[in-house]
Short mmCIF file of all heavy atoms in Angstrom, two decimals:
data_model
loop_
_atom_site.label_atom_id
_atom_site.label_comp_id
_atom_site.label_asym_id
_atom_site.label_seq_id
_atom_site.Cartn_x
_atom_site.Cartn_y
_atom_site.Cartn_z
N LEU J 1 51.20 144.98 132.31
CA LEU J 1 50.48 144.01 131.50
C LEU J 1 50.82 144.17 130.02
O LEU J 1 51.12 143.18 129.33
CB LEU J 1 48.97 144.17 131.71
CG LEU J 1 48.07 143.29 130.82
CD1 LEU J 1 48.33 141.81 131.11
CD2 LEU J 1 46.60 143.64 131.04
N PHE J 2 50.80 145.42 129.53
CA PHE J 2 51.11 145.67 128.12
C PHE J 2 52.55 145.28 127.79
O PHE J 2 52.83 144.76 126.71
CB PHE J 2 50.87 147.14 127.78
CG PHE J 2 49.43 147.55 127.77
CD1 PHE J 2 49.07 148.87 128.05
CD2 PHE J 2 48.43 146.64 127.48
CE1 PHE J 2 47.74 149.26 128.03
CE2 PHE J 2 47.09 147.02 127.47
CZ PHE J 2 46.75 148.34 127.74
N ILE J 3 53.46 145.55 128.71
CA ILE J 3 54.87 145.21 128.49
C ILE J 3 55.04 143.70 128.42
O ILE J 3 55.72 143.17 127.53
CB ILE J 3 55.76 145.80 129.61
CG1 ILE J 3 55.81 147.33 129.50
CG2 ILE J 3 57.17 145.22 129.56
CD1 ILE J 3 56.40 148.02 130.70
N ARG J 4 54.39 143.00 129.35
CA ARG J 4 54.47 141.54 129.35
C ARG J 4 53.93 140.98 128.04
O ARG J 4 54.53 140.09 127.43
CB ARG J 4 53.69 140.98 130.55
CG ARG J 4 53.80 139.46 130.69
CD ARG J 4 52.94 138.95 131.82
NE ARG J 4 53.33 139.55 133.10
CZ ARG J 4 52.50 140.19 133.91
NH1 ARG J 4 51.22 140.34 133.58
NH2 ARG J 4 52.93 140.69 135.03
N GLN J 5 52.79 141.50 127.60
CA GLN J 5 52.18 141.01 126.36
C GLN J 5 53.07 141.31 125.15
O GLN J 5 53.20 140.49 124.23
CB GLN J 5 50.81 141.64 126.17
CG GLN J 5 49.78 141.16 127.18
CD GLN J 5 48.46 141.91 127.06
OE1 GLN J 5 48.40 143.03 126.56
NE2 GLN J 5 47.39 141.30 127.54
N THR J 6 53.69 142.50 125.16
CA THR J 6 54.58 142.87 124.06
C THR J 6 55.76 141.91 123.97
O THR J 6 56.12 141.44 122.88
CB THR J 6 55.11 144.31 124.26
OG1 THR J 6 54.01 145.22 124.27
CG2 THR J 6 56.06 144.70 123.13
N LEU J 7 56.35 141.61 125.11
CA LEU J 7 57.51 140.71 125.14
C LEU J 7 57.14 139.29 124.74
O LEU J 7 58.00 138.51 124.32
CB LEU J 7 58.15 140.73 126.53
CG LEU J 7 58.82 142.06 126.92
CD1 LEU J 7 59.28 142.03 128.37
CD2 LEU J 7 59.99 142.37 125.99
N LEU J 8 55.86 138.98 124.83
CA LEU J 8 55.39 137.66 124.38
C LEU J 8 55.01 137.66 122.90
O LEU J 8 54.56 136.64 122.38
CB LEU J 8 54.18 137.23 125.23
CG LEU J 8 54.49 136.86 126.70
CD1 LEU J 8 53.21 136.62 127.48
CD2 LEU J 8 55.39 135.62 126.75
N GLY J 9 55.19 138.83 122.26
CA GLY J 9 54.95 138.90 120.81
C GLY J 9 53.70 139.61 120.38
O GLY J 9 53.39 139.68 119.19
N ASN J 10 52.96 140.17 121.33
CA ASN J 10 51.72 140.89 121.01
C ASN J 10 52.05 142.35 120.70
O ASN J 10 52.17 143.17 121.61
CB ASN J 10 50.74 140.79 122.18
CG ASN J 10 49.40 141.42 121.87
OD1 ASN J 10 49.25 142.16 120.90
ND2 ASN J 10 48.41 141.13 122.70
N GLN J 11 52.19 142.69 119.42
CA GLN J 11 52.57 144.05 119.05
C GLN J 11 51.44 145.05 119.25
O GLN J 11 51.68 146.25 119.40
CB GLN J 11 53.07 144.07 117.61
CG GLN J 11 54.38 143.31 117.46
CD GLN J 11 54.89 143.25 116.05
OE1 GLN J 11 54.14 143.48 115.10
NE2 GLN J 11 56.16 142.92 115.88
N THR J 12 50.21 144.57 119.26
CA THR J 12 49.07 145.45 119.54
C THR J 12 49.18 146.04 120.95
O THR J 12 48.79 147.18 121.19
CB THR J 12 47.74 144.69 119.39
OG1 THR J 12 47.65 144.17 118.06
CG2 THR J 12 46.56 145.61 119.65
N ALA J 13 49.73 145.26 121.86
CA ALA J 13 49.91 145.73 123.23
C ALA J 13 50.87 146.90 123.27
O ALA J 13 50.66 147.87 124.00
CB ALA J 13 50.41 144.59 124.12
N PHE J 14 51.93 146.83 122.47
CA PHE J 14 52.87 147.96 122.45
C PHE J 14 52.23 149.20 121.84
O PHE J 14 52.50 150.31 122.28
CB PHE J 14 54.14 147.59 121.66
CG PHE J 14 55.20 148.66 121.74
CD1 PHE J 14 55.94 148.82 122.90
CD2 PHE J 14 55.42 149.52 120.69
CE1 PHE J 14 56.89 149.82 123.00
CE2 PHE J 14 56.38 150.53 120.78
CZ PHE J 14 57.11 150.68 121.94
N GLU J 15 51.39 149.00 120.86
CA GLU J 15 50.71 150.15 120.25
C GLU J 15 49.82 150.86 121.28
O GLU J 15 49.65 152.09 121.22
CB GLU J 15 49.87 149.68 119.06
CG GLU J 15 50.74 149.27 117.86
CD GLU J 15 49.96 148.55 116.77
OE1 GLU J 15 48.72 148.70 116.75
OE2 GLU J 15 50.59 147.85 115.97
N LYS J 16 49.31 150.12 122.24
CA LYS J 16 48.52 150.74 123.32
C LYS J 16 49.41 151.62 124.19
O LYS J 16 48.99 152.69 124.65
CB LYS J 16 47.84 149.66 124.15
CG LYS J 16 46.72 148.94 123.40
CD LYS J 16 46.11 147.82 124.23
CE LYS J 16 45.02 147.11 123.43
NZ LYS J 16 44.44 145.96 124.18
N LEU J 17 50.65 151.18 124.39
CA LEU J 17 51.60 152.01 125.14
C LEU J 17 51.94 153.27 124.36
O LEU J 17 52.09 154.36 124.93
CB LEU J 17 52.86 151.21 125.43
CG LEU J 17 52.75 150.10 126.48
CD1 LEU J 17 54.01 149.24 126.48
CD2 LEU J 17 52.51 150.69 127.87
N VAL J 18 52.06 153.13 123.05
CA VAL J 18 52.35 154.28 122.20
C VAL J 18 51.21 155.30 122.31
O VAL J 18 51.45 156.50 122.51
CB VAL J 18 52.53 153.85 120.73
CG1 VAL J 18 52.65 155.09 119.83
CG2 VAL J 18 53.77 152.98 120.58
N ILE J 19 50.00 154.83 122.18
CA ILE J 19 48.83 155.73 122.26
C ILE J 19 48.77 156.43 123.61
O ILE J 19 48.51 157.63 123.71
CB ILE J 19 47.53 154.92 122.01
CG1 ILE J 19 47.47 154.44 120.56
CG2 ILE J 19 46.30 155.77 122.34
CD1 ILE J 19 46.37 153.44 120.29
N LYS J 20 49.07 155.69 124.65
CA LYS J 20 48.98 156.22 126.01
C LYS J 20 50.03 157.30 126.28
O LYS J 20 49.74 158.34 126.89
CB LYS J 20 49.14 155.08 127.00
CG LYS J 20 49.06 155.50 128.48
CD LYS J 20 49.15 154.27 129.37
CE LYS J 20 49.08 154.66 130.84
NZ LYS J 20 49.14 153.46 131.72
N TYR J 21 51.26 157.07 125.82
CA TYR J 21 52.36 157.96 126.18
C TYR J 21 52.85 158.88 125.07
O TYR J 21 53.72 159.73 125.31
CB TYR J 21 53.56 157.13 126.70
CG TYR J 21 53.30 156.53 128.06
CD1 TYR J 21 53.08 155.17 128.22
CD2 TYR J 21 53.24 157.35 129.19
CE1 TYR J 21 52.82 154.62 129.47
CE2 TYR J 21 52.98 156.82 130.45
CZ TYR J 21 52.77 155.46 130.58
OH TYR J 21 52.51 154.93 131.82
N ARG J 22 52.28 158.75 123.89
CA ARG J 22 52.73 159.59 122.79
C ARG J 22 52.61 161.09 123.09
O ARG J 22 53.55 161.86 122.83
CB ARG J 22 51.99 159.25 121.50
CG ARG J 22 52.54 160.00 120.30
CD ARG J 22 51.67 159.87 119.06
NE ARG J 22 52.20 160.71 118.00
CZ ARG J 22 52.10 162.03 117.96
NH1 ARG J 22 51.47 162.67 118.94
NH2 ARG J 22 52.62 162.73 116.98
N PRO J 23 51.46 161.57 123.61
CA PRO J 23 51.36 163.02 123.89
C PRO J 23 52.46 163.52 124.83
O PRO J 23 53.04 164.59 124.60
CB PRO J 23 49.97 163.14 124.54
CG PRO J 23 49.20 161.97 123.99
CD PRO J 23 50.20 160.87 123.90
N MET J 24 52.77 162.75 125.87
CA MET J 24 53.80 163.15 126.83
C MET J 24 55.17 163.23 126.15
O MET J 24 55.91 164.21 126.32
CB MET J 24 53.86 162.14 127.98
CG MET J 24 54.97 162.42 128.99
SD MET J 24 55.13 161.09 130.22
CE MET J 24 56.06 159.86 129.26
N ILE J 25 55.50 162.23 125.35
CA ILE J 25 56.80 162.19 124.69
C ILE J 25 56.89 163.24 123.61
O ILE J 25 57.93 163.92 123.46
CB ILE J 25 57.09 160.78 124.13
CG1 ILE J 25 57.17 159.76 125.28
CG2 ILE J 25 58.37 160.76 123.31
CD1 ILE J 25 58.23 160.07 126.32
N PHE J 26 55.83 163.43 122.86
CA PHE J 26 55.84 164.45 121.80
C PHE J 26 56.09 165.83 122.40
O PHE J 26 56.91 166.60 121.89
CB PHE J 26 54.51 164.43 121.04
CG PHE J 26 54.45 165.46 119.95
CD1 PHE J 26 55.07 165.24 118.72
CD2 PHE J 26 53.76 166.65 120.13
CE1 PHE J 26 55.01 166.18 117.70
CE2 PHE J 26 53.71 167.61 119.12
CZ PHE J 26 54.33 167.36 117.90
N ASP J 27 55.39 166.17 123.49
CA ASP J 27 55.58 167.47 124.14
C ASP J 27 57.02 167.63 124.63
O ASP J 27 57.61 168.72 124.52
CB ASP J 27 54.62 167.61 125.31
CG ASP J 27 53.17 167.82 124.86
OD1 ASP J 27 52.96 168.10 123.67
OD2 ASP J 27 52.27 167.66 125.71
N LEU J 28 57.59 166.56 125.16
CA LEU J 28 58.97 166.61 125.63
C LEU J 28 59.94 166.85 124.46
O LEU J 28 60.84 167.70 124.56
CB LEU J 28 59.33 165.30 126.34
CG LEU J 28 60.78 165.17 126.81
CD1 LEU J 28 61.12 166.24 127.85
CD2 LEU J 28 61.01 163.77 127.39
N VAL J 29 59.73 166.13 123.37
CA VAL J 29 60.61 166.27 122.20
C VAL J 29 60.50 167.67 121.61
O VAL J 29 61.51 168.29 121.26
CB VAL J 29 60.29 165.20 121.15
CG1 VAL J 29 61.08 165.44 119.87
CG2 VAL J 29 60.60 163.80 121.69
N VAL J 30 59.30 168.20 121.50
CA VAL J 30 59.10 169.56 120.98
C VAL J 30 59.85 170.58 121.83
O VAL J 30 60.42 171.54 121.31
CB VAL J 30 57.61 169.92 120.91
CG1 VAL J 30 57.42 171.42 120.67
CG2 VAL J 30 56.92 169.16 119.78
N SER J 31 59.88 170.36 123.13
CA SER J 31 60.57 171.30 124.02
C SER J 31 62.07 171.32 123.73
O SER J 31 62.75 172.31 124.01
CB SER J 31 60.32 170.94 125.48
OG SER J 31 61.05 169.79 125.88
N TYR J 32 62.59 170.26 123.16
CA TYR J 32 64.01 170.20 122.80
C TYR J 32 64.26 170.75 121.40
O TYR J 32 65.17 171.57 121.20
CB TYR J 32 64.53 168.75 122.85
CG TYR J 32 64.98 168.29 124.21
CD1 TYR J 32 64.06 167.83 125.15
CD2 TYR J 32 66.32 168.31 124.57
CE1 TYR J 32 64.47 167.39 126.40
CE2 TYR J 32 66.74 167.88 125.81
CZ TYR J 32 65.81 167.42 126.72
OH TYR J 32 66.21 167.00 127.97
N VAL J 33 63.48 170.28 120.41
CA VAL J 33 63.82 170.58 119.01
C VAL J 33 63.10 171.81 118.47
O VAL J 33 63.45 172.32 117.40
CB VAL J 33 63.56 169.36 118.11
CG1 VAL J 33 64.34 168.17 118.60
CG2 VAL J 33 62.07 169.03 117.99
N LYS J 34 62.06 172.31 119.18
CA LYS J 34 61.35 173.53 118.82
C LYS J 34 60.73 173.45 117.42
O LYS J 34 60.57 174.46 116.74
CB LYS J 34 62.28 174.76 118.87
CG LYS J 34 63.15 174.85 120.10
CD LYS J 34 62.35 174.94 121.37
CE LYS J 34 63.26 175.08 122.59
NZ LYS J 34 62.52 175.04 123.86
N ASN J 35 60.37 172.25 117.00
CA ASN J 35 59.85 172.06 115.65
C ASN J 35 58.93 170.86 115.68
O ASN J 35 59.37 169.73 115.88
CB ASN J 35 61.02 171.84 114.68
CG ASN J 35 60.56 171.65 113.25
OD1 ASN J 35 59.71 170.82 112.96
ND2 ASN J 35 61.15 172.43 112.36
N SER J 36 57.62 171.09 115.48
CA SER J 36 56.65 170.00 115.61
C SER J 36 56.82 168.93 114.54
O SER J 36 56.54 167.75 114.79
CB SER J 36 55.23 170.56 115.57
OG SER J 36 54.99 171.21 114.33
N ALA J 37 57.29 169.33 113.36
CA ALA J 37 57.44 168.35 112.28
C ALA J 37 58.60 167.40 112.57
O ALA J 37 58.46 166.18 112.43
CB ALA J 37 57.66 169.07 110.95
N ASP J 38 59.75 167.95 112.95
CA ASP J 38 60.88 167.09 113.32
C ASP J 38 60.53 166.27 114.56
O ASP J 38 60.91 165.10 114.68
CB ASP J 38 62.12 167.93 113.60
CG ASP J 38 62.73 168.51 112.33
OD1 ASP J 38 62.66 167.84 111.29
OD2 ASP J 38 63.26 169.62 112.38
N ALA J 39 59.79 166.87 115.49
CA ALA J 39 59.41 166.18 116.72
C ALA J 39 58.54 164.96 116.42
O ALA J 39 58.62 163.95 117.12
CB ALA J 39 58.65 167.14 117.64
N GLU J 40 57.73 165.06 115.38
CA GLU J 40 56.88 163.93 115.00
C GLU J 40 57.73 162.70 114.67
O GLU J 40 57.48 161.60 115.17
CB GLU J 40 56.04 164.32 113.78
CG GLU J 40 55.03 163.28 113.35
CD GLU J 40 53.87 163.14 114.30
OE1 GLU J 40 53.41 164.17 114.83
OE2 GLU J 40 53.44 161.99 114.53
N ASP J 41 58.75 162.90 113.85
CA ASP J 41 59.62 161.78 113.47
C ASP J 41 60.45 161.29 114.65
O ASP J 41 60.63 160.09 114.84
CB ASP J 41 60.55 162.21 112.33
CG ASP J 41 59.87 162.13 110.98
OD1 ASP J 41 58.70 161.72 110.93
OD2 ASP J 41 60.51 162.46 109.97
N LEU J 42 60.97 162.22 115.44
CA LEU J 42 61.79 161.83 116.59
C LEU J 42 60.97 161.06 117.62
O LEU J 42 61.48 160.11 118.23
CB LEU J 42 62.42 163.07 117.23
CG LEU J 42 63.51 163.75 116.39
CD1 LEU J 42 63.90 165.07 117.02
CD2 LEU J 42 64.71 162.85 116.24
N THR J 43 59.72 161.43 117.79
CA THR J 43 58.84 160.71 118.72
C THR J 43 58.67 159.26 118.28
O THR J 43 58.72 158.34 119.08
CB THR J 43 57.47 161.41 118.82
OG1 THR J 43 57.64 162.73 119.34
CG2 THR J 43 56.51 160.64 119.72
N GLN J 44 58.48 159.07 116.98
CA GLN J 44 58.36 157.71 116.44
C GLN J 44 59.63 156.91 116.74
O GLN J 44 59.57 155.74 117.12
CB GLN J 44 58.14 157.77 114.93
CG GLN J 44 56.81 158.36 114.51
CD GLN J 44 56.77 158.64 113.02
OE1 GLN J 44 57.53 158.07 112.25
NE2 GLN J 44 55.88 159.52 112.61
N GLU J 45 60.78 157.56 116.57
CA GLU J 45 62.06 156.87 116.78
C GLU J 45 62.27 156.54 118.26
O GLU J 45 62.88 155.52 118.59
CB GLU J 45 63.20 157.72 116.23
CG GLU J 45 63.17 157.83 114.72
CD GLU J 45 64.15 158.85 114.16
OE1 GLU J 45 64.99 159.35 114.95
OE2 GLU J 45 64.09 159.13 112.95
N VAL J 46 61.77 157.38 119.15
CA VAL J 46 61.86 157.12 120.59
C VAL J 46 61.11 155.83 120.92
O VAL J 46 61.62 154.96 121.64
CB VAL J 46 61.29 158.30 121.41
CG1 VAL J 46 61.08 157.89 122.87
CG2 VAL J 46 62.24 159.49 121.33
N PHE J 47 59.91 155.70 120.38
CA PHE J 47 59.13 154.49 120.66
C PHE J 47 59.75 153.26 120.01
O PHE J 47 59.66 152.15 120.56
CB PHE J 47 57.67 154.68 120.22
CG PHE J 47 56.87 155.47 121.20
CD1 PHE J 47 56.51 156.79 120.94
CD2 PHE J 47 56.46 154.91 122.40
CE1 PHE J 47 55.78 157.53 121.85
CE2 PHE J 47 55.73 155.65 123.33
CZ PHE J 47 55.39 156.96 123.05
N LEU J 48 60.38 153.44 118.87
CA LEU J 48 61.08 152.32 118.25
C LEU J 48 62.23 151.86 119.15
O LEU J 48 62.42 150.64 119.36
CB LEU J 48 61.63 152.73 116.87
CG LEU J 48 62.45 151.65 116.14
CD1 LEU J 48 61.60 150.42 115.86
CD2 LEU J 48 63.01 152.21 114.84
#
């Protein structure tokens, strides 16, 4: 539902996906880069 809404131009719907999956992606990125500060920026870029 959120994906469909996003593709129709509803950016708030994508932000809901970000909120839902950010913890999972952040933890994954930290496991690679071993640095929470760099991981913060990389997580943002993943969602972009």
Side-chain angles (χ1 to χ4, degrees):
L1 175 62
F2 291 153
I3 291 168
R4 184 184 301 126
Q5 291 174 337
T6 299
L7 293 174
L8 290 173
N10 184 346
Q11 292 178 342
T12 301
F14 186 75
E15 289 169 20
K16 290 177 181 177
L17 288 170
V18 173
I19 292 169
K20 180 176 180 179
Y21 288 108
R22 186 190 175 286
M24 176 187 79
I25 296 302
F26 179 79
D27 288 346
L28 176 62
V29 173
V30 167
S31 74
Y32 275 83
V33 303
K34 314 300 182 186
N35 180 307
S36 60
D38 288 326
E40 185 71 38
D41 278 359
L42 290 171
T43 298
Q44 293 169 21
E45 292 171 9
V46 166
F47 281 105
L48 177 62

